[in-house]
Short mmCIF file of all heavy atoms in Angstrom, two decimals:
data_model
loop_
_atom_site.label_atom_id
_atom_site.label_comp_id
_atom_site.label_asym_id
_atom_site.label_seq_id
_atom_site.Cartn_x
_atom_site.Cartn_y
_atom_site.Cartn_z
N TRP A 57 10.73 -18.58 -54.10
CA TRP A 57 9.66 -19.45 -53.70
C TRP A 57 10.00 -20.12 -52.27
O TRP A 57 11.09 -20.63 -52.05
CB TRP A 57 9.53 -20.65 -54.74
CG TRP A 57 8.82 -20.16 -56.00
CD1 TRP A 57 9.57 -19.87 -57.07
CD2 TRP A 57 7.52 -20.02 -56.31
NE1 TRP A 57 8.70 -19.43 -58.13
CE2 TRP A 57 7.42 -19.59 -57.66
CE3 TRP A 57 6.32 -20.22 -55.68
CZ2 TRP A 57 6.30 -19.32 -58.28
CZ3 TRP A 57 5.15 -20.04 -56.22
CH2 TRP A 57 5.05 -19.59 -57.57
N PHE A 58 8.96 -19.99 -51.40
CA PHE A 58 9.04 -20.63 -50.09
C PHE A 58 8.00 -21.73 -50.05
O PHE A 58 6.99 -21.70 -50.91
CB PHE A 58 8.78 -19.63 -49.03
CG PHE A 58 9.93 -18.71 -48.82
CD1 PHE A 58 10.10 -17.63 -49.63
CD2 PHE A 58 10.79 -18.87 -47.75
CE1 PHE A 58 11.14 -16.73 -49.35
CE2 PHE A 58 11.84 -17.92 -47.50
CZ PHE A 58 12.03 -16.99 -48.33
N ARG A 59 8.07 -22.59 -49.09
CA ARG A 59 7.04 -23.58 -48.88
C ARG A 59 6.84 -23.93 -47.34
O ARG A 59 7.75 -23.62 -46.65
CB ARG A 59 7.23 -24.88 -49.58
CG ARG A 59 8.42 -25.68 -49.10
CD ARG A 59 8.63 -26.95 -50.05
NE ARG A 59 9.78 -27.74 -49.56
CZ ARG A 59 10.29 -28.81 -50.18
NH1 ARG A 59 9.75 -29.13 -51.31
NH2 ARG A 59 11.30 -29.42 -49.70
N GLN A 60 5.64 -24.26 -47.01
CA GLN A 60 5.25 -24.61 -45.59
C GLN A 60 4.43 -25.68 -45.56
O GLN A 60 3.29 -25.75 -46.07
CB GLN A 60 4.64 -23.29 -44.97
CG GLN A 60 4.48 -23.52 -43.47
CD GLN A 60 4.16 -22.22 -42.82
OE1 GLN A 60 3.67 -21.17 -43.42
NE2 GLN A 60 4.32 -22.15 -41.47
N ALA A 61 4.89 -26.83 -44.91
CA ALA A 61 4.14 -28.01 -44.72
C ALA A 61 3.46 -27.91 -43.29
O ALA A 61 3.96 -27.15 -42.51
CB ALA A 61 4.96 -29.22 -44.78
N PRO A 62 2.37 -28.70 -43.12
CA PRO A 62 1.67 -28.60 -41.72
C PRO A 62 2.68 -28.87 -40.69
O PRO A 62 3.37 -29.91 -40.71
CB PRO A 62 0.61 -29.69 -41.96
CG PRO A 62 0.38 -29.70 -43.41
CD PRO A 62 1.79 -29.44 -44.08
N GLY A 63 2.68 -28.01 -39.64
CA GLY A 63 3.45 -28.24 -38.49
C GLY A 63 4.99 -27.84 -38.73
O GLY A 63 5.77 -27.99 -37.75
N ASN A 64 5.31 -27.42 -39.87
CA ASN A 64 6.67 -26.96 -40.18
C ASN A 64 6.76 -25.44 -40.27
O ASN A 64 5.80 -24.72 -40.56
CB ASN A 64 7.21 -27.60 -41.39
CG ASN A 64 7.50 -29.17 -41.23
OD1 ASN A 64 7.16 -29.62 -40.15
ND2 ASN A 64 7.83 -29.83 -42.32
N ASP A 65 8.05 -24.95 -40.10
CA ASP A 65 8.28 -23.50 -40.42
C ASP A 65 8.31 -23.35 -41.95
O ASP A 65 8.52 -24.20 -42.73
CB ASP A 65 9.57 -23.03 -39.84
CG ASP A 65 9.67 -23.16 -38.40
OD1 ASP A 65 8.54 -22.95 -37.79
OD2 ASP A 65 10.70 -23.23 -37.82
N ARG A 66 8.04 -22.14 -42.37
CA ARG A 66 8.21 -21.82 -43.78
C ARG A 66 9.67 -21.76 -44.15
O ARG A 66 10.55 -21.22 -43.47
CB ARG A 66 7.62 -20.36 -44.06
CG ARG A 66 7.37 -20.12 -45.52
CD ARG A 66 6.48 -18.81 -45.67
NE ARG A 66 5.13 -19.04 -45.08
CZ ARG A 66 4.21 -18.10 -45.29
NH1 ARG A 66 4.48 -17.01 -45.97
NH2 ARG A 66 2.98 -18.33 -44.75
N GLU A 67 9.90 -22.45 -45.28
CA GLU A 67 11.31 -22.57 -45.73
C GLU A 67 11.60 -22.09 -47.07
O GLU A 67 10.63 -22.26 -47.93
CB GLU A 67 11.86 -24.04 -45.57
CG GLU A 67 11.13 -25.05 -46.44
CD GLU A 67 11.61 -26.46 -46.22
OE1 GLU A 67 12.55 -26.67 -45.45
OE2 GLU A 67 11.12 -27.33 -47.02
N ILE A 68 12.76 -21.64 -47.39
CA ILE A 68 12.99 -21.26 -48.79
C ILE A 68 13.22 -22.45 -49.63
O ILE A 68 13.87 -23.45 -49.24
CB ILE A 68 14.19 -20.25 -48.83
CG1 ILE A 68 14.37 -19.66 -50.19
CG2 ILE A 68 15.55 -20.99 -48.43
CD1 ILE A 68 15.29 -18.45 -50.28
N VAL A 69 12.77 -22.40 -50.80
CA VAL A 69 12.95 -23.45 -51.88
C VAL A 69 13.96 -23.13 -52.97
O VAL A 69 14.91 -23.69 -53.22
CB VAL A 69 11.54 -23.76 -52.53
CG1 VAL A 69 11.84 -24.80 -53.66
CG2 VAL A 69 10.58 -24.34 -51.48
N GLU A 110 7.39 -35.67 -49.87
CA GLU A 110 7.98 -34.63 -48.99
C GLU A 110 7.92 -33.27 -49.59
O GLU A 110 8.11 -32.27 -48.83
CB GLU A 110 9.46 -34.99 -48.67
CG GLU A 110 9.60 -36.20 -47.77
CD GLU A 110 9.27 -37.53 -48.41
OE1 GLU A 110 9.64 -37.73 -49.65
OE2 GLU A 110 8.66 -38.39 -47.69
N ASP A 111 7.54 -33.10 -50.78
CA ASP A 111 7.50 -31.76 -51.40
C ASP A 111 6.00 -31.29 -51.23
O ASP A 111 5.71 -30.14 -51.59
CB ASP A 111 7.65 -31.82 -52.93
CG ASP A 111 9.12 -32.26 -53.29
OD1 ASP A 111 9.96 -31.74 -52.65
OD2 ASP A 111 9.36 -33.11 -54.17
N THR A 112 5.08 -31.99 -50.59
CA THR A 112 3.76 -31.52 -50.30
C THR A 112 3.80 -30.39 -49.36
O THR A 112 4.35 -30.49 -48.23
CB THR A 112 3.02 -32.70 -49.76
OG1 THR A 112 2.76 -33.73 -50.72
CG2 THR A 112 1.59 -32.18 -49.30
N ALA A 113 3.11 -29.26 -49.75
CA ALA A 113 3.22 -28.04 -48.91
C ALA A 113 2.43 -26.98 -49.59
O ALA A 113 2.06 -27.08 -50.84
CB ALA A 113 4.60 -27.57 -48.69
N VAL A 114 2.20 -25.92 -48.91
CA VAL A 114 1.72 -24.60 -49.58
C VAL A 114 2.91 -23.90 -50.01
O VAL A 114 3.90 -23.70 -49.26
CB VAL A 114 0.86 -23.81 -48.64
CG1 VAL A 114 0.39 -22.48 -49.27
CG2 VAL A 114 -0.37 -24.60 -48.13
N TYR A 115 2.94 -23.54 -51.30
CA TYR A 115 4.08 -22.84 -51.92
C TYR A 115 3.72 -21.31 -52.03
O TYR A 115 2.62 -21.02 -52.47
CB TYR A 115 4.45 -23.48 -53.27
CG TYR A 115 5.16 -24.72 -53.13
CD1 TYR A 115 4.58 -25.87 -52.61
CD2 TYR A 115 6.47 -24.82 -53.40
CE1 TYR A 115 5.22 -27.07 -52.57
CE2 TYR A 115 7.23 -26.01 -53.29
CZ TYR A 115 6.47 -27.14 -52.84
OH TYR A 115 7.31 -28.35 -52.78
N TYR A 116 4.62 -20.53 -51.54
CA TYR A 116 4.46 -19.06 -51.59
C TYR A 116 5.42 -18.38 -52.51
O TYR A 116 6.62 -18.72 -52.46
CB TYR A 116 4.61 -18.49 -50.16
CG TYR A 116 3.55 -19.03 -49.23
CD1 TYR A 116 3.69 -20.13 -48.44
CD2 TYR A 116 2.34 -18.31 -49.00
CE1 TYR A 116 2.75 -20.58 -47.56
CE2 TYR A 116 1.36 -18.74 -48.17
CZ TYR A 116 1.68 -19.87 -47.39
OH TYR A 116 0.65 -20.23 -46.47
N CYS A 117 5.05 -17.45 -53.23
CA CYS A 117 5.87 -16.59 -54.01
C CYS A 117 6.19 -15.36 -53.17
O CYS A 117 5.27 -14.85 -52.40
CB CYS A 117 5.16 -16.18 -55.27
SG CYS A 117 6.05 -15.08 -56.33
N ILE A 129 14.31 -15.36 -44.95
CA ILE A 129 12.94 -14.98 -45.14
C ILE A 129 12.58 -13.58 -44.75
O ILE A 129 11.63 -12.91 -45.25
CB ILE A 129 11.96 -15.97 -44.20
CG1 ILE A 129 10.51 -15.94 -44.52
CG2 ILE A 129 12.22 -15.79 -42.74
CD1 ILE A 129 9.68 -16.99 -43.98
N TRP A 135 4.32 -10.89 -50.24
CA TRP A 135 4.08 -12.36 -50.30
C TRP A 135 2.70 -12.62 -51.12
O TRP A 135 1.74 -11.71 -51.02
CB TRP A 135 3.81 -12.87 -48.88
CG TRP A 135 5.08 -12.96 -48.14
CD1 TRP A 135 5.68 -11.91 -47.39
CD2 TRP A 135 6.00 -14.02 -48.05
NE1 TRP A 135 6.81 -12.31 -46.85
CE2 TRP A 135 7.11 -13.62 -47.22
CE3 TRP A 135 6.03 -15.39 -48.46
CZ2 TRP A 135 8.11 -14.42 -46.95
CZ3 TRP A 135 7.11 -16.20 -48.14
CH2 TRP A 135 8.17 -15.73 -47.38
N GLN A 137 -0.61 -15.32 -51.99
CA GLN A 137 -1.52 -15.89 -51.09
C GLN A 137 -1.27 -17.45 -50.84
O GLN A 137 -1.78 -18.03 -49.91
CB GLN A 137 -2.97 -15.77 -51.67
CG GLN A 137 -3.30 -16.81 -52.76
CD GLN A 137 -2.67 -16.40 -54.12
OE1 GLN A 137 -1.94 -15.41 -54.29
NE2 GLN A 137 -2.92 -17.20 -55.12
N GLY A 138 -0.34 -18.01 -51.69
CA GLY A 138 0.03 -19.41 -51.56
C GLY A 138 -0.82 -20.31 -52.45
O GLY A 138 -1.95 -19.99 -52.77
N THR A 139 -0.16 -21.37 -52.88
CA THR A 139 -0.91 -22.44 -53.75
C THR A 139 -0.49 -23.79 -53.23
O THR A 139 0.67 -24.03 -52.90
CB THR A 139 -0.50 -22.20 -55.23
OG1 THR A 139 -1.22 -23.05 -56.06
CG2 THR A 139 0.94 -22.44 -55.48
N GLN A 140 -1.42 -24.64 -53.07
CA GLN A 140 -1.27 -26.01 -52.56
C GLN A 140 -0.67 -26.89 -53.54
O GLN A 140 -1.20 -27.00 -54.64
CB GLN A 140 -2.57 -26.57 -52.02
CG GLN A 140 -2.47 -27.96 -51.37
CD GLN A 140 -1.72 -28.00 -50.14
OE1 GLN A 140 -1.97 -27.23 -49.19
NE2 GLN A 140 -0.79 -28.97 -50.08
N VAL A 141 0.41 -27.64 -53.16
CA VAL A 141 0.97 -28.66 -53.99
C VAL A 141 0.88 -29.92 -53.14
O VAL A 141 1.38 -29.99 -52.01
CB VAL A 141 2.36 -28.39 -54.35
CG1 VAL A 141 3.07 -29.55 -54.99
CG2 VAL A 141 2.47 -27.14 -55.34
#
Side-chain angles (χ1 to χ4, degrees):
W57 288 94
F58 288 78
R59 68 185 180 187
Q60 188 168 20
N64 290 358
D65 293 334
R66 193 170 298 187
E67 61 177 5
I68 192 167
V69 175
E110 289 70 38
D111 296 319
T112 295
V114 177
Y115 283 70
Y116 296 90
C117 176
I129 192 170
W135 293 84
Q137 79 284 0
T139 185
Q140 176 70 47
V141 172

